[in-house]
Amino acid sequence: MLRITELKLPLDHADDALRPALVERLGIDDSELLEFSVFKRSYDARKKSGDMPFIYTLDFSVRDEAALLARLSNDRNLGIAPDVRYKPLNISAAHLPAQRPLVIGFGPCGIFAALLLAQMGLRPIVLERGKDVRQRTKDTWGLWRKKVLDPESNVQFGEGGAGTFSDGKLYSQIKDPNHYGRKVLEEFVKAGAPEEILYVSKPHIGTFRLTGVVATMREEIKALGGEVRFQQRVTDVLIEDGQLVGVELENGEQVRSRHVILALGHSSRDTFRALHTRGVFMEAKPFSVGFRIEHPQSLIDRARLGKYAGHPKLGAADYKLVHHAKNGRSVYSFCMCPGGTVVAATSEPHRVVTNGMSQYSRNERNANSGIVVGITPEQDYPGGPLAGVELQERLESHAYVLGGSNYEAPGQLVGDFIAGKPSTALGSVEPSYKPGIKLGDLAPALPDFAIEAIREALPAFAKQIKGFDLHDAVLTGIETRTSSPLRITRGEDLQSLNVRGLFPAGEGAGYAGGILSAGVDGIRVAEGLARALMDEQAR
Ligand code: FAD
């Protein structure tokens, strides 16, 4: 199989225009081309005032590959296509230990860990504290519509994990030499995600489709001999002489196993505390805090796509921004959701935290993103592994009070925030946060250095996206769960530094940030567990 990059076609090209374009580019007769597929499709938004073509990477085979490569040897866009297929480990049900492996948490990391273990014949048991995705959806809407929070079934907890009610962005900047990301996308497609996620440059699924995909993957795991149990909160770990031997559930039941993947997500603060009490090694790590910002999507489209704004093949535009403030802090946009909504994302009573989501169509009125400031344990929360968790809790509790102590979120217009005066009335931008926002002054919601840095960043961002500092754009607070505030450190064998048999994984353990990287880490850790089993049996 060969690969060609940088093949450009107009945005409006017909579906069947790719084959003739490829044949012409290669200078071959159509009969020479045996097959082709799109590996990647992107566009260059910097070309918004001139021609903005789609740029393709195509994989293809021809009758005589050697002859073509020799003839086009000076073409640096042509070469052998790398093999990105997943290579399964050589393991089988014969390696299944007496006690089945456990996976704690059924977010993207736990789902892929369990799926891989099931595909290897290792029949995992998944323990998930929340409910199945259908029931969970109802509970999550309970907070948004009726201000009723279920601490065990919400945006953070339940089947599908934190990304279930999200934009479903599926890209990441992680190094992925084994092409596990490709495996994640292929499994999503098998479970019902649109096929285009395999090749568009910034794929996304949207929340509605993601819920169906998650349920299908659960059934696949069960069909392969796995088990998925909901409303099974793990409250403790059982450790004997540095070896994990099982876990304890909220109802007192003990589930014995010497191989446990811990895929908790970043919001399982009670479990972090339980693990810390048991002496599982963990350390504080950096994360970020800030606000969600909302603009009219049309403003972002115009700034990013120029005359192509609103083009049906491009959809709603996104952005990615960074500013290094004079006080030494970095401010950046986080989890940008084109045509989406800001959501209430707390999992704990009497706390307020924001995030963003959208549907596949991304056709809501507003664009939103987190505008956040990086903070570190050394500078901002010294005091041990749980100090970042405690800081998040304090900020989220204060945001609850600032919002009126009823799950509404504190908000402010961008113009007023920059000018340092409280907002009293909305302008042209209607915020999407449900159950609602309470206008006022956001300055007390975050440490002074963060406010100062964000105040400086918003006008600086307007130099890249005209109108970003629009007076009526809305800030909603607060964004604190940008990543895990701690790391449950693991060694090269992917096991906890001081508890054998415990495989910390995914975002909560500090090894992923986002759906794709969490899925990739699930695969990596499932393989780590399988290798540990093979080693144990070889001894
Ligand atoms: P999680 O998804 O958090 O899953 C952890 C699971 O473990 C949960 O289901 C939880 O209930 C369970 N659990 C926790 N403790 C226990 C326990 N003690 N016992 C049993 N079960 C337990 N990322 C993107 O890449 N793209 C996006 O568009 C995007 N949008 C987002 C929108 C929102 C609203 C949110 C909240 C997050 C979004 N993210 C997005 C981030 C993404 O969801 C996470 O990075 C990802 O889900 C992390 O995966 P994970 O499996 O490591 O953890």
Side-chain angles (χ1 to χ4, degrees):
M1 189 67 85
L2 301 181
R3 171 167 295 176
I4 192 151
T5 58
E6 296 289 315
L7 183 75
K8 295 180 182 167
L9 270 87
L11 281 188
D12 288 317
H13 73 79
D15 285 349
D16 57 3
L18 268 175
R19 185 179 176 98
L22 176 60
V23 164
E24 189 188 336
R25 174 79 172 68
L26 297 174
I28 57 174
D29 189 78
D30 184 83
S31 61
E32 289 286 303
L33 179 63
L34 300 178
E35 56 173 331
F36 78 95
S37 59
V38 180
F39 182 75
K40 191 168 159 210
R41 189 189 74 192
S42 57
Y43 61 87
D44 186 350
R46 288 168 303 178
K47 302 273 166 61
K48 56 184 178 275
S49 54
D51 279 349
M52 187 160 63
F54 275 134
I55 307 165
Y56 283 93
T57 298
L58 300 181
D59 289 349
F60 63 95
S61 54
V62 290
R63 279 188 204 290
D64 191 344
E65 290 190 349
L68 185 75
L69 284 173
R71 182 164 59 78
L72 298 178
S73 58
N74 288 332
D75 188 338
R76 58 190 178 86
N77 293 318
L78 180 71
I80 310 272
D83 183 359
V84 296
R85 283 170 303 177
Y86 179 68
K87 324 269 176 321
L89 291 184
N90 192 11
I91 187 164
S92 69
H95 291 93
L96 189 63
Q99 292 158 343
R100 293 161 68 178
L102 304 181
V103 176
I104 303 173
F106 203 52
C109 179
I111 291 175
F112 277 91
L115 181 69
L116 261 284
L117 293 176
Q119 288 175 346
M120 293 177 205
L122 297 177
R123 303 181 56 229
I125 299 173
V126 177
L127 302 169
E128 163 56 54
R129 70 190 292 167
K131 299 180 188 168
D132 70 81
V133 73
R134 181 185 288 256
Q135 189 53 47
R136 178 189 176 202
T137 304
K138 284 189 199 147
D139 295 335
T140 302
W141 281 91
L143 174 63
W144 299 347
R145 287 207 178 120
K146 300 182 199 144
K147 302 184 179 177
V148 178
L149 171 74
D150 181 339
E152 293 300 323
S153 181
N154 48 57
V155 171
Q156 307 290 350
F157 296 157
E159 185 177 26
T164 309
F165 307 101
S166 80
D167 182 42
K169 284 177 282 297
L170 294 176
Y171 41 92
S172 151
Q173 289 166 340
I174 50 165
K175 288 199 189 104
D176 185 17
N178 296 324
H179 310 290
Y180 292 156
R182 184 79 186 170
K183 166 86 170 159
V184 170
L185 296 179
E186 282 173 357
E187 292 292 352
F188 275 145
V189 170
K190 250 172 52 190
E195 208 163 326
E196 66 167 37
I197 66 168
L198 291 175
Y199 62 83
V200 297
S201 61
K202 289 182 181 170
H204 80 111
I205 306 190
T207 190
F208 180 69
R209 289 195 181 198
L210 203 49
T211 51
V213 165
V214 162
T216 306
M217 293 181 79
R218 174 230 304 153
E219 290 309 311
E220 170 75 6
I221 291 165
K222 284 161 63 180
L224 291 167
E227 209 178 306
V228 183
R229 300 188 196 163
F230 296 110
Q231 296 177 273
Q232 305 267 296
R233 179 159 66 93
V234 170
T235 48
D236 207 352
V237 283
L238 312 172
I239 303 168
E240 289 172 8
D241 297 330
Q243 165 71 51
L244 192 84
V245 294
V247 300
E248 188 166 299
L249 303 179
E250 191 179 12
N251 62 10
E253 185 192 344
Q254 294 191 343
V255 187
R256 310 293 287 192
S257 175
R258 296 171 72 85
H259 304 92
V260 177
I261 291 177
L262 194 65
L264 300 175
H266 58 32
S267 290
S268 199
R269 295 166 176 169
D270 50 357
T271 321
F272 291 155
R273 288 194 163 98
L275 295 165
H276 186 245
T277 304
R278 286 284 169 228
V280 175
F281 184 86
M282 56 181 73
E283 53 200 326
K285 72 173 242 326
F287 64 103
S288 300
V289 296
F291 305 123
R292 275 272 143 183
I293 193 164
E294 277 188 279
H295 298 94
Q297 180 63 46
S298 54
L299 180 150
I300 305 297
D301 288 347
R302 269 196 311 277
R304 294 281 291 133
L305 302 174
K307 65 180 181 182
Y308 296 101
H311 193 291
K313 286 219 177 148
L314 296 179
D318 65 359
Y319 58 78
K320 194 170 177 201
L321 300 163
V322 186
H323 174 72
H324 301 291
K326 289 194 199 86
N327 67 5
R329 303 288 177 159
S330 289
V331 184
Y332 61 98
S333 60
F334 165 78
C335 187
M336 196 267 152
C337 298
T341 49
V342 180
V343 296
T346 184
S347 46
E348 288 150 15
H350 306 150
R351 296 207 162 113
V352 161
V353 54
T354 53
N355 213 306
M357 76 168 199
S358 60
Q359 302 295 344
Y360 177 68
S361 56
R362 287 179 165 170
N363 62 3
E364 296 291 333
R365 222 176 15 241
N366 292 345
N368 74 70
S369 75
I371 297 296
V372 297
V373 182
I375 55 175
T376 63
E378 297 76 25
Q379 213 176 346
D380 304 309
Y381 43 100
L386 295 169
V389 172
E390 286 153 13
L391 174 63
Q392 286 178 323
E393 288 172 337
R394 277 199 305 279
L395 293 173
E396 292 170 15
S397 295
H398 191 211
Y400 179 78
V401 174
L402 292 173
S405 302
N406 60 2
Y407 292 110
E408 292 190 2
Q412 192 171 11
L413 304 193
V414 162
D416 292 336
F417 175 76
I418 293 172
K421 60 175 195 193
S423 292
T424 49
L426 290 171
S428 56
V429 179
E430 194 184 322
S432 59
Y433 183 93
K434 296 274 177 293
I437 72 167
K438 182 175 180 229
L439 285 176
D441 184 5
L442 278 176
L446 293 179
D448 290 347
F449 66 81
I451 297 295
E452 187 181 278
I454 295 173
R455 270 203 187 116
E456 183 185 312
L458 295 172
F461 289 157
K463 292 189 182 131
Q464 295 172 62
I465 296 199
K466 198 170 167 228
F468 202 84
D469 56 353
L470 179 77
H471 182 277
D472 289 356
V474 178
L475 292 168
T476 305
I478 58 172
E479 196 89 5
T480 42
R481 303 198 192 179
T482 47
S483 69
S484 187
L486 56 82
R487 171 166 293 119
I488 307 176
T489 319
R490 60 194 192 199
E492 285 201 349
D493 59 2
L494 306 185
Q495 301 184 47
S496 151
L497 282 189
N498 65 345
V499 183
R500 276 189 319 282
L502 183 66
F503 294 79
E507 179 145 20
Y511 290 99
I515 297 169
L516 189 73
S517 62
V520 164
D521 201 51
I523 296 177
R524 196 182 289 137
V525 158
E527 289 191 347
L529 189 154
R531 283 202 188 89
L533 282 179
M534 291 192 277
D535 286 353
E536 284 163 27
Q537 294 194 2
R539 263 185 246 133

